[in-house]
Amino acid sequence: MSSSDPFYVVQAEVNDTLNLAETKFRRTKAAEDHQQRTRGLHELQDDVEGLKYMLGEIKRSVDTASRNPNRFKLTNVEIQGRRQWMDTAGQRVELLRSQVWQLARVNSSVGTGAQDNRRDHRAHRDQPRDQPRDQGGETKPGRPPDSFIASETRQQQQMIHRQDEELDVLGEHVLRIGELGKEMGHELDAQGELLDEFGYEMMGTQTRLAAAQRKVQHVLDRAGTKGQLVIIAVLVVVMVVLLLMVIG
């Protein structure tokens, strides 16, 4: 099959979406902010469900084609190659789903409290050493520097912006795959209709050919042996005349 086959277009879209989701998982896993990691995990769960749905639709189309390969102009080797790709992609999706589930469980156990403790620790580490003391000689808790707060805010905004861009790209991939899936279904339906019409024409031709054979057989039966010899002789004479006309 050529590269214009809708299957290969959908295959490329699924591979791109899966690669993007795996990259997004690595970034989400490396994120330090609890809320950003939680948001990324929710998006990844949606991505995994979308990939599983798309692979299911592709599997149904391949199963349909495998029941009648000649109808869709496919060989057994091509069908086997498509099944192998679906198995590999399905394993990658299942592995990603398992990793997302495990990270979500760890993330929920950490909770917001532990994240706040780490943030307080960083703020305490960056605060000035000379702090005002109360009457008991203890250091009063200091306020985190404005530069630290601004840096944290910028990092969070950049990560949110990057995740939004990745989500937009994934959304475009999903929409394109959906449109290509519909186009593939329409093309398969059109090919099915053409093949049905061709089948009807073949049946009509076979019927007319059988009728002509019956008529010839009926003529030969009525003519008998002598009549058949006369017919053969006449046909030979006609062929010789035609041959002489062509040569002349």
Side-chain angles (χ1 to χ4, degrees), residues 206-243:
Q206 290 176 353
T207 302
R208 290 191 294 272
L209 180 60
Q213 289 177 346
R214 286 195 298 269
K215 290 180 180 179
V216 172
Q217 186 64 37
H218 179 69
V219 172
L220 294 176
D221 292 340
R222 291 185 62 184
T225 304
K226 293 182 179 180
Q228 294 178 10
L229 292 176
V230 172
I231 293 173
I232 293 174
V234 171
L235 291 175
V236 170
V237 171
V238 172
M239 290 179 61
V240 171
V241 172
L242 292 174
L243 182 61

Side-chain angles (χ1 to χ4, degrees), residues 117-160:
N117 289 337
R118 287 195 296 269
R119 188 182 298 110
D120 293 340
H121 175 72
R122 290 195 300 268
H124 179 72
R125 181 191 59 191
D126 296 335
Q127 71 181 3
R129 294 183 179 180
D130 297 333
Q131 298 292 337
R133 298 178 178 273
D134 57 12
Q135 294 179 356
E138 297 180 354
T139 303
K140 295 181 179 180
R143 179 177 175 271
D146 293 338
S147 60
F148 171 78
I149 297 176
S151 176
E152 288 290 318
T153 302
R154 283 195 302 272
Q155 291 179 2
Q156 292 179 4
Q157 290 177 348
Q158 291 175 357
M159 184 170 291
I160 292 173

